[in-house]
Amino acid sequence: MFMWLWILTSRSVRWLCFGGLLCICLSVANAAELRIGVKGFPVTLAHPYVAANPISDAVLRAVFDGLTRLDANGVPVPALALSWQTLTSTSWRFKLRRDAVFSNGEPFNAAAVTATLLWLQSPEGARTSMGRHARGIERVEVEDPHSIIIHTAQPDAILPYRLSAIALVAPRAWRELGPEAFARTPAGTGAFTLDDWGSASGRITLKANFDSWCAPKVDSLVLINFPDAAARVEALLSGRIHIASGLGLENIEAAQAGGAFVSPAPAMSVAAIALRQDSGRASPLKDARVRQALNYAIDKTQLNTEILRGLSAPSGQPAGRWTSGHNPNVRPYPYDPDQAKALLFDAGIVTSFGLRFDVVTGRAPGDAAMMDIIAAQLKDVGIDAEMREIPYGRWLQSFASGIWPNDTDGFMLPFDSMPINDVQSALEPYSCANPAPFFCDEGLTAEIVAVNEEMMFTKRLGLLDSLAQKIHDLAPAIFLTEQFDLFAVSRDVSGFAVAGRVPIYESVSVDE
């Protein structure tokens, strides 16, 4: 029997869990309303499986729980599962809570877990964004009403990470209503229940679920839509809201001047510009020396200090410091224009040439300002880089289909480990496993698969470290900086912390 512990070390998050960490939440009802300013409402309402982003998760994390959850350090800890252990390399036992119940009165038990996982394996469920985190599950064995064994088709070392992304739903309501109607009237085990979608008022209201296993410290949670970040700060300083989320760097001074606390939180991703190497497409970017040259040409320290206010860190690998898979020994490419020019010369490039990058900005603090500096620094080494701003919808369509304009040489694509905070999620788009691959190294892809299937902690650690170094050297992208989210918090708020890019609602109290 394999029995591992989740541990957190200075190397970032490292491995597995037997027993886990017990989450004990004490309810302190103080008749308070927690109001948070957000920059939009989820278009898919409370459908728990079709989107993974802060706008959707602002609602989903209040209403639903998974078997595990990510804590403020990005480590999976108990949620609806109190503990877990590996029995074999392809089987895990999860002991379930006995003090949880769905908000509509349905019992939480092994049958409810099984129903959710079976739906995600159905053709409809498998097509959802969250379905990919259940695709390796072969079957679920019910030992008793509060114990299950999950069998996977292949060894899956990060199954507890994956399960943090899978919300568990009240099975009868899901079955009888269907996903679309359920999304309007959700039933979960979370700290809040939906009261009003606010289609007329612009306020989503959720009521405290004091019957939850982890009940909140406020009576209600209100999400108020302010599309403009400056308006969110103004609402915070005037007392209309307690927390302003999704802020830009330009909002920091106003929030601090008004007495608010500004809090950056890791966003599980590394900003990067993917470099196209599609088969059948002639491009200088197919030469690793050229790709490395682009990385040497960019001063990432300047991006962090001058644009990002020193709130981030330069990066040269696919995992940030707080993501499982980060190797602290892999340093960012230093800023060295002479080395960039030498590599280009070695690759046979002796004259200036142009590259066109399709970028989407406004999705992370400072991303637009960074593009101007990147273009200028590439020009300094003889590369005329055109940063073409495109709408997110068009970017998403091109990325999903793999059909880019013929003159697109690269595109904005962070190494994004959301929602599971393990580098495995960030690597798939940069591998042959991508349904529309733009970078396909068969050897690297085989190593990515091997890392995921390695169940021994120390060996997997070494494989992860080796993988980070190889991706650094292959340079499938221009590595930039670690990404983060910005929140401004009223001094009336206590217990504020962020997990998975969303406040940990049940830990927050308000002094009014």
Side-chain angles (χ1 to χ4, degrees), residues 279-336:
S279 62
R281 181 177 184 269
S283 171
L285 297 175
K286 290 188 174 182
D287 191 320
R289 293 169 295 185
V290 176
R291 303 195 299 271
Q292 291 168 357
L294 268 63
N295 277 279
Y296 280 113
I298 305 303
D299 188 346
K300 290 168 278 293
T301 298
Q302 179 186 359
L303 296 179
N304 181 41
T305 56
E306 295 186 9
I307 302 297
L308 302 180
R309 318 282 185 94
L311 297 174
S312 180
S315 184
Q317 60 180 303
R321 290 164 294 170
W322 304 109
T323 294
S324 174
H326 177 262
N327 182 349
N329 296 315
V330 175
R331 309 303 301 165
Y333 281 87
Y335 177 51
D336 192 340

Side-chain angles (χ1 to χ4, degrees), residues 20 25 34 40 62 78 96 162 192 209 213-214 219 221 257 284 342 346-347 390 398 406 450 456 458-459 463 479 505:
C25 297
L34 173 62
L96 308 181
R162 297 187 196 283
F192 293 90
N209 179 11
W213 64 275
C214 207
D219 287 318
L221 168 66
D346 288 345
I390 64 172
S398 293
N406 289 334
M456 298 303 296
T458 54
K459 188 172 181 180
L463 292 174
F479 299 99
Y505 295 126

Side-chain angles (χ1 to χ4, degrees), residues 155-209:
D156 186 355
I158 60 170
L159 182 64
Y161 279 89
R162 297 187 196 283
L163 293 176
S164 70
I166 297 177
L168 296 172
V169 299
R172 189 188 70 244
W174 181 265
R175 183 178 63 251
E176 293 179 355
L177 294 174
E180 185 175 338
F182 182 92
R184 292 193 293 270
T185 56
T189 58
F192 293 90
T193 61
L194 181 73
D195 184 58
D196 180 12
W197 277 113
S199 55
S201 65
R203 299 162 59 100
I204 296 177
T205 303
L206 302 106
K207 298 297 185 183
N209 179 11

Side-chain angles (χ1 to χ4, degrees), residues 37-116:
V38 296
K39 61 178 178 180
F41 289 164
V43 296
T44 54
L45 301 178
H47 193 309
Y49 306 128
V50 294
N53 57 63
I55 290 177
S56 295
D57 286 352
V59 174
L60 300 180
R61 298 290 177 84
V63 174
F64 299 109
D65 297 306
L67 286 177
T68 65
R69 59 164 58 180
L70 299 181
D71 70 5
N73 293 309
V75 181
V77 296
L80 291 175
L82 284 171
S83 65
W84 52 94
Q85 65 182 119
T86 53
L87 303 177
T88 70
S89 63
T90 57
S91 61
W92 300 69
R93 174 182 284 125
F94 291 81
K95 292 291 187 178
L96 308 181
R97 287 188 174 275
R98 296 175 181 269
D99 58 346
V101 64
F102 290 103
S103 58
N104 66 347
E106 292 185 54
F108 169 74
N109 51 31
V113 177
T114 302
T116 289

Side-chain angles (χ1 to χ4, degrees), residues 165 230 271 328 347 379 396 415 474 503:
K379 192 173 185 62
L396 185 61
F415 287 95
L474 285 170

